[in-house]
């Protein structure tokens, strides 16, 4: 797990949020995005058939998926979660998928190419940023998708899952 950063300026927090108007001290309409890291050390080598990123722990406030567009997961790489990631460029030819298009979910998508790319490069992790199409809508009201189990600022195992399927050899 990682956390979130604003989309319009340096900063970071522990909660896993995507949307706008998270904090009344932020500029109206400024959005937040969330970052995830998964360790691939236990994944065997081979052809990745699927890599299903999913969460059953979403909480929606306002109308983020209606007002700000679909929630996308995109492949990124970074060495350390920090405030400097707010404007990080995605990986060249990044694997991208629609994680959710409705407040009811489902909250899932396949990122097999991202996992395969990390394995091919001997990169020990696969990392994603989840963000909505638009940073904000300037209506002054929060439009947020939050992911948590016990508390909105508490990261713990199981909030997100990445189920990787590898093709078995003959």
């Amino acid at each position: 797990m990682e956390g979130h950063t604003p989309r319009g300026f340096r900063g970071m927090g522990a909660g896993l949020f995507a949307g706008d108007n998270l904090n009344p001290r932020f500029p109206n309409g400024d959005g937040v995005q969330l970052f995830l890291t998964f360790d691939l050390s236990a994944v065997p080598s081979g052809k990745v058939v699927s890599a299903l990123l999913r969460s059953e722990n979403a909480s929606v406030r306002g109308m983020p998926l209606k007002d700000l567009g679909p929630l996308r997961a995109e492949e990124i790489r970074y060495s350390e979660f920090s405030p400097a990631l707010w404007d990080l460029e995605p990986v060249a030819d990044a694997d991208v998928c629609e994680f959710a298009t409705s407040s009811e979910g489902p909250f899932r998508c396949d990122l097999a190419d991202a996992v395969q790319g990390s394995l091919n490069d001997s990169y020990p992790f696969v990392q994603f940023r989840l963000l909505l199409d638009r940073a904000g809508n300037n209506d002054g009201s929060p439009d947020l998708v939050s992911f948590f189990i016990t508390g909105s600022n508490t990261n713990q195992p199981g909030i997100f899952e990445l189920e990787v399927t590898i093709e078995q050899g003959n």
Side-chain angles (χ1 to χ4, degrees):
M1 307 298 357
E2 298 290 5
H4 71 275
T5 69
R7 289 178 64 174
F9 58 92
R10 290 177 60 94
M12 66 183 248
L16 300 173
F17 308 104
D20 76 350
N21 294 315
L22 171 66
N23 186 318
R25 294 181 308 224
F26 285 7
N28 183 35
D30 194 20
V32 290
Q33 57 197 342
L34 67 96
F35 293 80
L36 303 172
T37 295
F38 293 90
D39 182 346
L40 296 176
S41 62
V43 177
S45 61
K47 179 176 175 9
V48 177
V49 176
S50 68
L52 186 61
L53 176 67
R54 66 175 165 239
S55 180
E56 300 293 327
N57 300 293
S59 176
V60 177
R61 183 172 172 198
M63 296 185 295
L65 297 155
K66 180 176 182 252
D67 292 350
L68 305 176
L71 182 62
R72 291 180 288 114
E74 63 183 19
E75 177 186 9
I76 55 172
R77 289 191 184 174
Y78 55 92
S79 58
E80 179 182 357
F81 182 66
S82 74
L85 298 180
W86 72 275
D87 63 349
L88 180 68
E89 290 293 323
V91 171
D93 298 319
D95 196 3
V96 178
C97 62
E98 283 190 349
F99 190 69
T101 58
S102 161
S103 293
E104 293 79 38
F107 294 90
R108 68 173 179 249
C109 65
D110 194 318
L111 290 150
D113 290 344
V115 173
Q116 188 70 66
S118 287
L119 293 173
N120 291 350
D121 295 345
S122 298
Y123 189 66
F125 308 106
V126 65
Q127 296 167 308
F128 306 110
R129 169 179 34 213
L130 274 66
L131 70 165
L132 296 153
D133 278 353
R134 290 179 296 286
N137 61 0
N138 296 307
D139 69 358
S141 297
D143 295 298
L144 294 167
V145 183
S146 307
F147 296 91
F148 60 91
I149 295 172
T150 58
S152 62
N153 284 306
T154 304
N155 290 341
Q156 59 196 112
I159 296 173
F160 284 88
E161 295 177 343
L162 182 65
E163 182 182 342
V164 179
T165 304
I166 302 292
E167 185 176 90
Q168 299 298 313
N170 295 336

